[in-house]
């Protein structure tokens, strides 16, 4: 366990680590700064492979939680690290708790129509359709 805001904690967490899977906390206000610091700490500790769970379209400047990921990706791109960027979307997102609010706002309703199933049958790990 570590604290992204503490350089000593980052260094300790990365000691003797060759590969990193980095997922920032949701809606982290200083994500760009802390993410770039984490990339720098990974490089300093000798990490070779960096996997970053980013977000779909990190270049959308109007969505701060997206835009804050772009500088972290840039820091990785401009390093010598081997890397993978994952750009997850809302596929299989759980909207159950927020459904009423989404319906009231309307904008997502066409995409999230409860009357039409997303899958032809309940998903199971071995299901292919």
């Amino acid at each position: 366990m570590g604290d992204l805001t503490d350089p000593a904690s980052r260094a300790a967490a990365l000691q003797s680590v060759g590969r990193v899977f980095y997922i920032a906390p949701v809606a982290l206000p200083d994500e760009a700064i802390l993410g770039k610091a984490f990339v720098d700490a990974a490089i300093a500790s000798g990490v070779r492979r960096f996997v970053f769970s980013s977000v779909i379209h990190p270049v959308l400047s109007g969505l701060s939680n997206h835009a804050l990921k772009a500088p972290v990706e840039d820091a990785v791109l401009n390093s010598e690290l081997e890397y993978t960027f994952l750009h997850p979307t809302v596929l299989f997102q759980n909207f159950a708790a927020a459904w009423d609010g989404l319906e009231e706002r309307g904008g997502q309703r066409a995409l999230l129509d409860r009357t039409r199933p997303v899958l032809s049958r309940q998903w199971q790990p071995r299901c292919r359709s």
Side-chain angles (χ1 to χ4, degrees):
M1 186 161 345
D3 180 350
L4 286 174
T5 65
D6 178 29
S9 180
R10 289 190 300 258
L14 292 165
Q15 188 174 15
S16 301
V17 171
R19 295 175 300 274
V20 168
F21 187 87
Y22 178 67
I23 305 172
V26 174
L28 184 65
D30 297 332
E31 183 170 356
I33 293 164
L34 295 175
K36 290 189 312 185
F38 190 80
V39 172
D40 291 341
I43 294 166
S45 73
V47 167
R48 300 247 327 122
R49 181 88 175 146
F50 198 98
V51 178
F52 179 34
S53 183
S54 184
V55 67
I56 188 87
H57 306 307
V59 295
L60 294 177
S61 61
L63 298 171
S64 62
N65 63 318
H66 288 231
L68 291 171
K69 303 237 186 247
V72 182
E73 287 190 13
D74 197 46
V76 174
L77 285 169
N78 290 310
S79 74
E80 297 293 322
L81 292 166
E82 297 172 8
Y83 64 88
T84 300
F85 294 146
L86 302 175
H87 291 155
T89 66
V90 294
L91 181 64
F92 293 112
Q93 184 75 21
N94 184 357
F95 288 106
W99 186 260
D100 292 335
L102 288 173
E103 275 191 325
E104 288 170 17
R105 289 191 297 280
Q108 300 290 329
R109 189 168 190 174
L111 297 174
L112 305 171
D113 186 351
R114 291 190 280 199
T115 64
R116 293 182 303 164
V118 174
L119 300 173
S120 59
R121 63 178 187 246
Q122 183 177 2
W123 182 86
Q124 296 174 4
R126 299 179 70 157
C127 179
R128 292 186 180 256
S129 62

